[in-house]
Amino acid sequence: VAYYEKMRYFSNRIAITELERAKNSKRAYEYLNDDEVELVKYRMSFKHPKTDICDFYANLDVGFGRGVVPKEMMTTLPRHPHCRCHYEPYYHDVKGKKLSWNEAVEKTMSKFSDYEKREILGSKNKLEQFKSGKDIEEIFNSVRPKYPIRRYEELLNETLKSFKEVF
């Protein structure tokens, strides 16, 4: 019974995660091709039990507010198994100027305690790498080589290019 329950759990986890991956790719494609959408807001799922990578992206402020980024800066989702976070269009007025990526990362990470930073990055070793100046997305991608965090714009352009080459 334990074996079957474990296999059921793994199957369910894969199904949920891959369904979310497909839904988020479709949404990103729609937002990137919609001229009315200029900014998107990262919405964290209400079922998040602890601090993790999603908290970083939900609090990332590149100058437009917490979690609000230009649609070109949308990155691939989901970020971890069972992740149901998503982007949604943001139509409100924003007052601020765009920060560089490094400034935004430093400003956002400074809001978290050392314990929360370790939880976001994955380990104490990764926190030391971050403090020594390594890019945060490189650190995230070292943990997840199969599904690296990439910009949707790049990913969708590559997909369309390879699709056109095949057909």
Side-chain angles (χ1 to χ4, degrees):
V1 171
Y3 173 78
Y4 290 113
E5 285 300 311
K6 188 174 184 180
M7 291 303 111
R8 185 186 63 75
Y9 168 77
F10 287 153
S11 300
N12 189 32
R13 182 186 71 189
I14 291 168
I16 288 170
T17 306
E18 292 306 317
L19 181 63
E20 290 297 319
R21 187 178 316 284
K23 285 192 324 190
N24 284 312
S25 293
K26 179 184 176 284
R27 284 183 187 144
Y29 180 77
E30 290 171 353
Y31 299 157
L32 287 168
N33 291 318
D34 187 349
D35 293 334
E36 292 182 15
V37 177
E38 292 179 12
L39 300 170
V40 291
K41 182 169 178 79
Y42 184 80
R43 288 283 182 198
M44 223 167 77
S45 170
F46 66 91
K47 291 188 172 187
H48 259 267
K50 64 178 193 161
T51 304
D52 63 7
I53 186 174
C54 294
D55 289 275
F56 168 75
Y57 282 98
N59 288 295
L60 181 65
D61 186 358
V62 295
F64 304 117
R66 287 180 31 194
V68 179
V69 295
K71 65 183 180 182
E72 295 80 19
M73 288 183 68
M74 285 188 298
T75 54
T76 52
L77 296 171
R79 306 212 191 279
H80 56 81
H82 294 295
C83 183
R84 293 178 184 234
C85 302
H86 63 279
Y87 286 104
E88 62 186 29
Y90 188 79
Y91 298 109
H92 304 287
D93 291 335
V94 292
K95 295 177 184 170
K97 64 175 191 163
K98 187 176 175 187
L99 302 173
S100 73
W101 174 251
N102 292 334
E103 288 175 327
V105 169
E106 287 296 326
K107 183 177 172 184
T108 302
M109 287 300 277
S110 69
K111 296 176 184 175
F112 294 106
S113 69
D114 278 348
Y115 173 77
E116 290 172 324
K117 289 177 187 176
R118 279 195 312 269
E119 292 293 308
I120 290 168
L121 294 169
S123 70
K124 188 176 180 179
N125 182 31
K126 302 266 189 262
L127 177 58
E128 294 304 318
Q129 290 176 7
F130 175 73
K131 286 181 178 178
S132 69
K134 189 170 181 182
D135 183 52
I136 197 163
E137 287 189 342
E138 283 182 37
I139 295 170
F140 291 150
N141 289 341
S142 68
V143 176
R144 40 179 289 156
K146 188 172 181 183
Y147 295 107
I149 294 174
R150 299 177 59 195
R151 303 272 183 260
Y152 271 118
E153 191 172 45
E154 297 168 9
L155 182 67
L156 294 173
N157 285 338
E158 284 178 19
T159 304
L160 289 174
K161 184 179 175 184
S162 64
F163 181 77
K164 287 176 184 176
E165 287 173 0
V166 170
F167 293 101

